[in-house]
Amino acid sequence: MKGNYKFLLLALLIAFASCSFTSKTFDDPDKDKLLIQLITYVLNQGHFEPQELNDDFSANVFDDYLNQLDPFKRYFYESDIKEFEAYKHQLDDQLKAYDVSFFSLTHERLLKRIEESKKIYNDILSSPFDFSIDETYSSDYESLNYVSNKREMKERWRQQLKFSTIANYDDVIAQRDAGLEANSLPESVFSPENEKTNANENKSLEDIEKDAREATKRSLDELYDFIDDRQRKDWFAVYINAIVEEFDPHTFYFAPEDKDRFDVAMSGNFEGIGARLQKKMDAIMVNEIISGGPAWRANELEVGDQIMKVRQEDEEAPVNVVGMRLDDAIKLIKGPKGTTVNLTLKKVDGTVEEISITRDIVELEETYAKSSTVIKDEKKFGVINLPKFYINFEDYNKRNAASDIKQEIIRLKQEGIEGLVLDLRNNGGGSLQTVVDIAGLFIEDGPIVQVKTTGEPKEVLKDKDKSIVWDGPLVILVNELSASASEILAAAMQDYKRAIVIGSKQTYGKGTVQNVLDLNRMVRNNSNGDMGALKFTTQKFYRVNGGSTQLEGVKSDVVVPDRYSYINIGEKDQENPLPWDKIDAVDYELWGNYFDYDTTIEKSKARMAVNEQLKLIDANAQWVKKIRDRETYSLNYDAYKKEMELNEEEAKRFEKLSEYQTDLTFSSLPYEIKLMEQDSVLKQKRQRWHESLAKDVYIEEALNVLNDLKMTYAIKNKVADVKN
């Protein structure tokens, strides 16, 4: 790659850090005020779409901040909110004056209300719950009003605690019933692990209710231990993020501890379970499974799962992480290599289960591209999986996604493939430069993506290398989690009519790029300690046809359902996303070796419409949506139990999903087979991948499409030029 965009992101960050942002002096002795001064200045000068600090901005920060402090509306009273509302349209003025009086007021009041709530929950949990009463509980917290007195506050807590306890109550009864059934089995099946279950058999319902209440209390006690450990600076970071997240969902302040963790993640390896987590309201959600890591190998944790409790291998009682800050939950989950952590999960479909994961060193090796061959209808095809667009910013000549993809294509061609599937599902993006290079492997030359920075002319990033590494049929697989760089590549190939895109209705819809700025660089002679870092949006991407991938993503040529089809999981479902817009298109020529693109798409759509596995996947996705959207629950145990049993019965009809099997056999390339002779872990990873491909209805259809393309596509007699 040539051109001034070679290290665009890094150069931009350095420019910000060394020039425009350091022309101003920042030296306020009050750390809170200094932090506000730094952040408001950076966002005003460097954000792609700076926000005007006005009354509307103030009101949005006000609402979002209070919602983060008290999402269940069980701390603040209506009188507190009325007092706070005097500041609702003044926060913009306070920010301009670096005034933190609103934060100080809410922080002090929150600590007072938290202290009061300890007595409330202890009082409630000291008396039995009556699960025979007909009453319901609503989890639609947003529609709740703040309570006006202590009686209403106690009632709110009572309902929420009863809802938590009825779930514990049901768990113990389920264990008891399982123990009773086990009594009919041979004695040899019992083990020390069964002792706790067997002990439940003789318990009365009163004893079980008491145990359930005590479990709820233990969880809250542990939660409050963590809350008590939080310092003022931790709460101030919540306030800062309520401010910066008004700019867009990817702008975020890293407090010093968060920044350290970010640096560790960027270093290439760490000890833990190999999952990335995010906070949504009071829930700790899994938003990425790192390929090759412990969670990936265990194959039980999924994107979208909520982690409810964490138990160490040497502990009997788990710690409830619902409502816990993300930092604290991560401290519990990560740990030394070889130790085991037990996670209680609320799965995507609403079921609850506990899994065990043995921690290990999480290597980012499995973010690298990998390939396989497969025979279908007597034709050999290639599959390349790319989990991330990786790069070494210090030296582009070192291993990167583009050079690896090129090498894999060359190896696949040596095996005689007649079509290629590029799998970008769950690929959250990465390096801009590698996208341009990879797109260039499939076309002769031309523009790939347009990049716009506020106040500057757009930049068109082009493939200037006329060689084509693969000129045969090409299918790109995407889903709702394909984002950023994945969307650029899929969009470019779609616009050129170079590939058929198969997958979700649309991809994630992240058409922006962020930079991370170390705020310490901006403060001279800093005596305030570590100031943390700020991630903020600096640019927007556009397709060669002028359209943005922001919000709308890339719409698949052939839409196939998956379990996320009806779940709000994309950019458009985030808070304060930047809008979709359009700029002028650039000149580009459609793929010259035209195949019957439209007929192939219609044939695929017809197959998809009658595919029984996809019909079942779609039904499952709708059911998952129904379960997740449910907001009303019975607190009468008989009714609650019937609801749970109905859910379990409905879930059984989707068990066939995991039984799906194609007749396809996938094989590693010769060079990798040699490596596997000395590397049993690599062999295990590839066997696991091949097994999943053989059960993958989307891969199966991608190969069908390649076969159709092969029938309508005139393969060149000459092998495409390749520059080694």
Side-chain angles (χ1 to χ4, degrees):
M1 285 294 300
K2 296 179 181 178
N4 63 359
Y5 60 90
K6 186 170 183 180
F7 296 107
L8 184 64
L9 306 185
L10 189 61
L12 183 62
L13 178 57
I14 292 171
F16 281 165
S18 61
C19 302
S20 59
F21 287 162
T22 54
S23 61
K24 185 176 174 66
T25 302
F26 302 94
D27 55 8
D28 197 304
D30 186 309
K31 186 173 182 179
D32 291 347
K33 293 181 178 181
L34 177 61
L35 191 55
I36 288 179
Q37 189 179 12
L38 288 169
I39 285 173
T40 53
Y41 182 78
V42 170
L43 293 178
N44 182 57
Q45 296 294 312
H47 194 276
F48 180 83
E49 199 167 277
Q51 295 283 314
E52 183 182 350
L53 301 186
N54 54 24
D55 287 356
D56 289 340
F57 180 89
S58 177
N60 290 335
V61 171
F62 179 88
D63 291 337
D64 290 345
Y65 172 57
L66 292 181
N67 188 50
Q68 289 184 48
L69 289 185
D70 189 11
F72 292 165
K73 296 179 181 172
R74 64 183 187 187
Y75 293 134
F76 292 133
Y77 289 85
E78 185 181 21
S79 58
D80 294 326
I81 302 303
K82 285 181 179 177
E83 184 179 351
F84 298 159
E85 281 179 342
Y87 295 87
K88 186 165 187 174
H89 297 103
Q90 293 182 17
L91 298 186
D92 54 323
D93 302 313
Q94 287 201 355
L95 288 173
K96 292 170 187 174
Y98 318 130
D99 184 348
V100 296
S101 56
F102 172 69
F103 166 74
S104 296
L105 171 65
T106 54
H107 176 240
E108 290 168 10
R109 187 65 50 81
L110 177 65
L111 296 185
K112 179 183 178 183
R113 298 304 186 213
I114 287 174
E115 202 60 34
E116 292 171 353
S117 69
K118 293 178 183 177
K119 183 176 187 309
I120 295 174
Y121 85 74
N122 275 290
D123 286 349
I124 292 170
L125 292 174
S126 65
S127 302
F129 288 118
D130 185 349
F131 293 127
S132 67
I133 297 173
D134 287 328
E135 62 176 326
T136 57
Y137 170 74
S138 173
S139 62
D140 181 12
Y141 309 119
E142 290 184 13
S143 66
L144 290 176
N145 295 318
Y146 288 97
V147 300
S148 58
N149 54 55
K150 290 183 178 180
R151 179 184 56 79
E152 291 179 1
M153 181 65 82
K154 188 168 183 178
E155 174 60 16
R156 176 153 298 170
W157 270 95
R158 185 195 67 80
Q159 282 209 340
Q160 292 182 3
L161 294 175
K162 189 172 183 180
F163 178 64
S164 298
T165 304
I166 200 171
N168 296 335
Y169 183 75
D170 184 52
D171 286 344
V172 179
I173 287 181
Q175 290 176 14
R176 182 194 67 176
D177 293 346
L180 290 172
E181 291 175 13
N183 277 336
S184 63
L185 299 173
E187 189 175 339
S188 59
V189 305
F190 291 102
S191 66
E193 288 76 18
N194 298 123
E195 287 179 5
K196 196 169 183 179
T197 299
N198 297 336
N200 289 326
E201 292 173 24
N202 299 319
K203 283 192 174 182
S204 66
L205 292 179
E206 289 77 11
D207 289 338
I208 291 175
E209 187 277 336
K210 183 180 178 183
D211 287 349
R213 255 187 304 120
E214 289 176 349
T216 301
K217 185 178 181 302
R218 281 195 303 272
S219 295
L220 276 168
D221 289 343
E222 289 159 354
L223 171 61
Y224 274 73
D225 285 343
F226 280 99
I227 290 175
D228 290 343
D229 285 342
R230 298 187 78 170
Q231 300 175 13
R232 187 180 191 279
K233 64 180 182 179
D234 299 316
W235 294 110
F236 191 63
V238 175
Y239 179 55
I240 291 294
N241 273 314
I243 295 167
V244 303
E245 287 170 5
E246 289 302 319
F247 284 74
D248 77 289
H250 305 290
T251 294
F252 187 82
Y253 168 65
F254 291 102
E257 194 173 56
D258 298 319
K259 176 176 165 285
D260 290 343
R261 192 173 68 251
F262 177 81
D263 292 341
V264 168
M266 294 298 287
S267 70
N269 66 70
F270 55 93
E271 290 184 325
I273 65 170
R276 292 193 171 95
L277 311 176
Q278 69 176 137
K279 186 81 177 284
K280 278 198 171 183
M281 293 289 283
D282 66 315
I284 307 295
M285 308 294 292
V286 177
N287 72 342
E288 184 182 351
I289 305 294
I290 297 172
S291 183
W296 179 88
R297 293 197 297 269
N299 200 27
E300 293 181 293
L301 196 64
E302 297 179 286
V303 170
D305 286 350
Q306 177 188 345
I307 299 177
M308 301 172 67
K309 298 178 183 179
V310 180
R311 180 169 62 84
Q312 309 304 327
E313 61 184 0
D314 58 348
E315 296 176 350
E316 286 191 14
V319 176
N320 189 327
V321 298
V322 176
M324 189 180 291
R325 70 171 184 161
L326 188 59
D327 266 354
D328 296 331
I330 289 172
K331 285 178 184 175
L332 290 175
I333 295 167
K334 72 179 184 180
K337 174 183 176 180
T339 58
T340 299
V341 63
N342 302 283
L343 306 177
T344 301
L345 308 174
K346 185 174 185 180
K347 304 293 289 181
V348 172
D349 62 8
T351 58
V352 175
E353 64 178 74
E354 184 180 71
I355 66 169
S356 297
I357 300 176
T358 301
R359 302 175 178 110
D360 202 348
I361 295 175
V362 180
E363 297 282 354
L364 300 185
E365 169 72 23
E366 278 300 311
T367 62
Y368 295 147
K370 56 181 179 284
S371 66
S372 174
T373 60
V374 59
I375 304 292
K376 182 171 177 60
D377 298 334
E378 300 180 349
K379 299 182 185 68
K380 183 179 285 189
F381 297 110
V383 176
I384 298 179
N385 176 268
L386 182 65
K388 186 177 182 180
F389 290 81
Y390 47 90
I391 186 176
N392 185 317
F393 275 106
E394 294 179 3
D395 185 356
Y396 189 68
N397 293 321
K398 289 186 178 179
R399 188 172 191 181
N400 63 74
S403 59
D404 281 0
I405 291 285
K406 180 178 178 179
Q407 188 63 43
E408 292 303 317
I409 293 173
I410 293 170
R411 289 165 171 161
L412 288 167
K413 285 170 64 175
Q414 291 170 348
E415 296 301 302
I417 67 164
E418 300 183 48
L420 178 64
V421 177
L422 182 57
D423 189 352
L424 300 180
R425 290 175 295 177
N426 304 317
N427 184 322
S431 161
L432 173 65
Q433 184 181 349
T434 58
V435 181
V436 178
D437 282 357
I438 291 172
L441 303 175
F442 305 114
I443 62 171
E444 187 173 352
D445 59 9
I448 303 302
V449 64
Q450 305 185 76
V451 182
K452 196 170 188 314
T453 305
T454 299
E456 296 182 16
K458 72 178 184 183
E459 186 171 15
V460 181
L461 309 188
K462 300 179 179 180
D463 167 48
K464 298 179 180 179
D465 186 343
K466 288 185 175 291
S467 68
I468 305 172
V469 178
W470 177 251
D471 66 350
L474 178 65
V475 165
I476 294 180
L477 280 177
V478 297
N479 63 7
E480 291 90 348
L481 298 173
S482 303
S484 194
S486 295
E487 296 173 292
I488 293 171
L489 181 56
M493 296 298 95
Q494 190 178 62
D495 290 343
Y496 275 92
K497 280 208 165 183
R498 175 62 187 93
I500 289 179
V501 178
I502 299 177
S504 52
K505 185 177 180 182
Q506 70 161 73
T507 52
Y508 189 87
K510 181 180 180 292
T512 59
V513 61
Q514 288 72 39
N515 285 306
V516 178
L517 176 67
D518 184 346
L519 295 173
N520 296 295
R521 294 190 182 192
M522 299 174 58
V523 185
R524 296 170 185 171
N525 303 318
N526 181 22
S527 60
N528 282 293
D530 196 334
M531 301 302 297
L534 182 68
K535 176 168 67 98
F536 58 108
T537 299
T538 57
Q539 295 172 308
K540 226 175 183 181
F541 295 128
Y542 297 85
R543 302 169 70 134
V544 293
N545 68 10
S548 172
T549 58
Q550 178 67 11
L551 299 186
E552 293 195 358
V554 177
K555 292 175 171 55
S556 297
D557 299 309
V558 179
V559 176
V560 289
D562 61 33
R563 71 183 313 179
Y564 301 114
S565 293
Y566 303 99
I567 296 176
N568 298 332
I569 204 169
E571 180 86 357
K572 65 184 183 300
D573 305 305
Q574 305 301 310
E575 294 287 333
N576 311 310
L578 295 185
W580 180 89
D581 63 341
K582 191 172 184 178
I583 61 176
D584 292 337
V586 289
D587 292 332
Y588 63 98
E589 295 182 10
L590 296 182
W591 177 240
N593 296 338
Y594 186 76
F595 49 80
D596 197 341
Y597 186 86
D598 297 326
T599 299
T600 301
I601 289 173
E602 290 308 311
K603 288 178 71 174
S604 180
K605 287 180 178 178
R607 275 193 300 269
M608 295 296 90
V610 297
N611 186 295
E612 292 302 320
Q613 176 74 352
L614 289 177
K615 288 180 181 178
L616 190 60
I617 288 172
D618 189 63
N620 179 243
Q622 293 186 48
W623 179 70
V624 166
K625 169 70 171 173
K626 185 181 84 170
I627 293 293
R628 288 171 69 96
D629 286 351
R630 183 180 172 190
E631 294 174 339
T632 303
Y633 302 84
S634 176
L635 296 180
N636 173 285
Y637 182 67
D638 290 340
Y640 178 90
K641 186 65 175 176
K642 285 178 183 176
E643 291 168 355
M644 294 300 105
E645 289 173 348
L646 181 61
N647 285 345
E648 291 174 10
E649 201 59 38
E650 287 183 347
K652 286 179 182 176
R653 68 187 177 109
F654 301 118
E655 290 176 355
K656 291 181 181 177
L657 287 173
S658 61
E659 299 170 5
Y660 187 77
Q661 186 73 39
T662 69
D663 59 356
L664 302 170
T665 302
F666 294 81
S667 304
S668 289
L669 299 182
Y671 87 95
E672 202 167 59
I673 292 173
K674 290 181 180 178
L675 291 176
M676 287 190 290
E677 290 173 357
Q678 274 79 43
D679 189 343
S680 60
V681 174
L682 176 63
K683 185 176 182 179
Q684 178 193 13
K685 289 178 180 178
R686 291 300 177 263
Q687 285 176 343
R688 166 96 163 268
W689 182 46
H690 293 161
E691 287 169 4
S692 68
L693 290 176
K695 297 165 71 71
D696 193 329
V697 67
Y698 309 104
I699 287 286
E700 182 182 39
E701 179 55 23
L703 297 174
N704 287 332
V705 169
L706 286 179
N707 202 32
D708 290 343
L709 288 173
K710 182 73 174 66
M711 303 298 291
T712 64
Y713 185 89
I715 297 291
K716 288 183 175 181
N717 292 324
K718 277 191 171 185
V719 176
D721 292 332
V722 175
K723 290 185 179 180
N724 293 309

